[in-house]
Amino acid sequence: MDWGALQTILGGVNKHSTSIGKIWLTVLFIFRIMILVVAAERVWGDEQDDFICNTLQPGCKNVCYDHFFPISHIRLWALQLIFVSTPALLVAMHVAYRRHEKKRQFRKGDQKCEYKDIEEIRAQRFRIEGTLWWTYTSSIFFRLIFEAVFMYAFYFMYDGFRMPRLMKCSAWPCPNTVDCFVSRPTEKTVFTIFMIAVSSICIMLNVAELCYLLVKFFLKRSRKAGNPKHHPNHETKEETKQNEMNELISDSCQNTVTGFSS
Amino acid sequence: MDWGSLHAILGGVNKHSTSIGKIWLTVLFIFRIMILVVAAERVWGDEQQDFVCNTLQPGCKNVCYDHFFPISHIRLWALQLIFVSTPALLVAMHVAYTRHEKKRRFRNGEKINIEELKNEKIHIQGPLWWTYTSSIFFRIIFEAIFMYTFYYMYDGYQMPRLVKCNAWPCPNTVDCFVSRPTEKTMFTIFMLAVSGICILLNLAELCYLVIKVCMRERRKST
């Protein structure tokens, strides 16, 4: 169970996402998870081994390292990526529930069910409408919250995003004040800033997706309000054509009646 | 045979679970096994190497480490996850047995569609209900046992920064310093919290199954 398995799980969600959602998923996997695995983990790999304190006092290095790095950047990023990916599973569960309901209808032989076979139900792509819209929007909202919380946690824990070269430590058992030197501070600063930048890009993509969904929702509503006979949620192509035919017939009847009365 | 194979085995059980069971399985794989593999194992990776004792006495560090960490957190979590996942196999075995019986009846001449049989979702009723409920019950027992073991072995869930050791051959009392105690405490609390959530999900599933059976009995009697 590793990042590859997460990719498999989230890959399935991709089918029901908007275009912006698909871009977000790609950015997540390529610019965050992959960078973490192939690069960042090597940079932070020797963080405790090469954290050197100017003392012979046993235990001082351990204590100072623990004091300045309560939780390593790598672990914080791993947790951030897992938490940020997980809301998409809400959408996956909702889609699976809908499919299950449609399969149940199909098996019962429901006349209303418009699918010819079970394979079609499996392959169908659900549109983001109705209750699925709410699930999808809440998942984006949670993603934004988690991203913001983790970025703030980073800033708060490490007093900014820069990795200092030298730390002065006076925790017991260190004698007086001891100078401790961090391993690869510049490279770590570069990667921290990179990951923060990509997090911000992901936040902007999520905000854009949220706006897109809201605009789509309001446009649909205003179209519905402008044309009250039109009910898009439960229509199929045949029903749309039938509706149009009915409208034409009713219009021509109206004209006939009006023509007759006048 | 690794966590990926366990994922493959348990994925099959997923089909016959309730919705709460499916959520439980997702939480298990993403928030426990995945966190263990991608994060926790690295944190505990250097636990003995960077366990430092304030002495030059050979063997003292080994003895003190062994005294304070009889079994590492990582290994305890791995055992916990395996034991907690295994009761689901009871359900898988029962389902396989039911299918096997149906196939046998088909071969004996009864008219059953064999393809449909393979894909059929078996409802949680009758003896399968008892198997499923016992598997949830065992899951809860195992979770509770491991959580208590953790608490008992490590005197709580906090990783101390300093341990004082006077086991032979250490001279008098020696200060030993643990590697990354704060990060370890954070992960211990995280794993504990997720175990708690899994126990709640299991309890909810148990209640759901019991209520379902009671309602079915009521419908049958009326």
Side-chain angles (χ1 to χ4, degrees):
Chain A
M1 192 70 203
D2 59 358
W3 296 115
L6 188 72
Q7 194 189 17
T8 315
I9 294 172
L10 291 183
V13 178
N14 208 11
K15 208 165 53 163
H16 308 281
S17 302
T18 60
S19 314
I20 305 178
K22 289 174 184 162
I23 296 172
W24 173 82
L25 211 70
T26 310
V27 169
L28 183 83
F29 277 108
I30 297 188
F31 290 100
R32 296 175 80 176
I33 294 179
M34 196 167 162
I35 293 282
L36 186 81
V37 170
V38 308
E41 279 186 354
R42 308 285 162 89
V43 177
W44 269 266
D46 58 4
E47 56 175 336
Q48 196 173 348
D49 277 338
D50 286 339
F51 181 78
I52 292 175
C53 292
N54 188 4
T55 179
L56 290 172
Q57 171 65 43
C60 176
K61 178 181 119 156
N62 281 28
V63 162
C64 291
Y65 178 83
D66 183 63
H67 181 257
F68 287 107
F69 300 104
I71 178 166
S72 169
H73 287 62
I74 292 285
R75 257 72 68 183
L76 264 179
W77 282 324
L79 284 172
Q80 180 180 14
L81 291 168
I82 290 170
F83 273 86
V84 153
S85 321
T86 321
L89 296 176
L90 288 174
V91 177
M93 283 191 243
H94 193 138
V95 166
Y97 172 74
R98 267 210 190 166
R99 272 218 184 100
H100 175 76
E101 286 296 303
K102 291 231 155 98
K103 277 189 193 166
R104 207 166 51 86
Q105 268 184 340
F106 178 78
R107 282 204 188 98
K108 281 199 181 144
D110 204 334
Q111 293 301 322
K112 273 191 254 166
C113 189
E114 59 264 25
Y115 299 102
K116 299 228 170 34
D117 59 44
I118 222 155
E119 278 310 312
E120 216 184 295
I121 298 179
R122 247 181 230 149
Q124 197 221 14
R125 183 189 166 227
F126 287 99
R127 294 186 63 192
I128 304 173
E129 298 168 336
T131 41
L132 186 60
W133 184 91
W134 286 101
T135 309
Y136 196 86
T137 315
S138 345
S139 80
I140 299 179
F141 182 71
F142 279 118
R143 269 188 228 161
L144 280 166
I145 300 284
F146 288 140
E147 290 270 23
V149 162
F150 274 96
M151 279 175 85
Y152 178 71
F154 252 108
Y155 187 82
F156 177 74
M157 254 189 208
Y158 293 105
D159 275 324
F161 299 121
R162 229 183 112 251
M163 179 68 78
R165 200 176 268 190
L166 161 74
M167 292 166 162
K168 291 191 181 288
C169 175
S170 55
W172 185 87
C174 300
N176 310 305
T177 303
V178 159
D179 289 338
C180 291
F181 300 88
V182 178
S183 145
R184 309 180 206 247
T186 311
E187 202 168 0
K188 286 177 181 174
T189 305
V190 167
F191 271 95
T192 306
I193 289 173
F194 179 87
M195 295 295 265
I196 295 288
V198 186
S199 288
S200 315
I201 290 171
C202 286
I203 287 180
M204 286 194 291
L205 284 169
N206 285 328
V207 169
E209 199 176 2
L210 209 55
C211 295
Y212 167 75
L213 287 168
L214 285 169
V215 163
K216 202 168 118 170
F217 177 73
F218 285 120
L219 277 177
K220 198 173 280 172
R221 255 236 184 125
S222 61
R223 244 185 275 148
K224 246 200 252 180
N227 188 4
K229 280 185 215 161
H230 193 70
H231 296 290
N233 281 340
H234 302 289
E235 272 189 27
T236 57
K237 279 191 190 150
E238 290 86 6
E239 281 178 48
T240 320
K241 276 194 187 147
Q242 191 61 43
N243 275 344
E244 285 173 12
M245 290 284 286
N246 289 342
E247 279 175 53
L248 278 169
I249 292 166
S250 66
D251 281 347
S252 59
C253 281
Q254 198 90 14
N255 288 339
T256 318
V257 167
T258 323
F260 195 80
S261 62
S262 61
Chain B
M1 191 69 203
D2 59 357
W3 294 116
S5 331
L6 188 72
H7 182 60
I9 293 170
L10 290 182
V13 177
N14 207 10
K15 213 166 47 166
H16 308 283
S17 303
T18 60
S19 315
I20 304 177
K22 289 174 185 162
I23 296 173
W24 172 83
L25 212 70
T26 308
V27 169
L28 184 83
F29 277 109
I30 296 188
F31 289 100
R32 295 175 80 175
I33 295 180
M34 196 166 165
I35 295 279
L36 186 81
V37 170
V38 309
E41 279 185 353
R42 309 285 162 89
V43 179
W44 269 265
D46 56 6
E47 54 178 328
Q48 193 173 353
Q49 218 173 309
D50 285 335
F51 181 77
V52 171
C53 290
N54 189 4
T55 180
L56 291 172
Q57 172 64 46
C60 177
K61 178 181 123 155
N62 283 28
V63 162
C64 292
Y65 178 81
D66 184 63
H67 180 256
F68 286 103
F69 301 104
I71 177 166
S72 169
H73 287 63
I74 293 284
R75 259 69 72 184
L76 264 178
W77 281 323
L79 284 171
Q80 180 178 13
L81 292 168
I82 291 172
F83 272 87
V84 153
S85 322
T86 321
L89 296 177
L90 288 173
V91 177
M93 283 190 248
H94 192 137
V95 165
Y97 171 75
T98 313
R99 278 221 181 101
H100 177 76
E101 284 295 302
K102 286 199 171 149
K103 277 188 193 164
R104 203 170 53 84
R105 279 192 285 154
F106 174 76
R107 284 203 189 97
N108 284 347
E110 263 187 59
K111 289 193 173 49
I112 302 172
N113 183 354
I114 214 159
E115 272 311 308
E116 214 184 275
L117 193 67
K118 267 193 204 136
N119 297 330
E120 194 193 332
K121 187 197 169 210
I122 295 170
H123 288 282
I124 304 172
Q125 300 165 341
L128 185 60
W129 184 92
W130 286 102
T131 310
Y132 197 86
T133 316
S134 347
S135 80
I136 298 179
F137 182 71
F138 279 118
R139 268 187 227 162
I140 297 175
I141 299 285
F142 288 140
E143 291 269 25
I145 288 175
F146 275 95
M147 281 172 84
Y148 177 71
T149 309
F150 254 108
Y151 187 82
Y152 176 74
M153 255 190 201
Y154 294 106
D155 274 326
Y157 298 114
Q158 211 215 0
M159 179 68 78
R161 199 178 266 194
L162 161 75
V163 289
K164 289 188 184 290
C165 175
N166 55 13
W168 186 88
C170 300
N172 310 303
T173 303
V174 159
D175 289 337
C176 291
F177 300 89
V178 178
S179 147
R180 310 182 203 250
T182 310
E183 203 167 0
K184 286 177 181 172
T185 305
M186 284 192 192
F187 273 95
T188 305
I189 290 172
F190 179 86
M191 294 294 267
L192 188 75
V194 187
S195 289
I197 290 171
C198 285
I199 288 182
L200 289 172
L201 285 169
N202 285 327
L203 284 169
E205 200 177 2
L206 209 55
C207 294
Y208 167 74
L209 288 168
V210 166
I211 289 173
K212 203 167 121 171
V213 140
C214 292
M215 289 190 67
R216 195 173 290 150
E217 293 291 306
R218 200 175 293 167
R219 248 183 274 150
K220 259 196 233 175
S221 60
T222 54

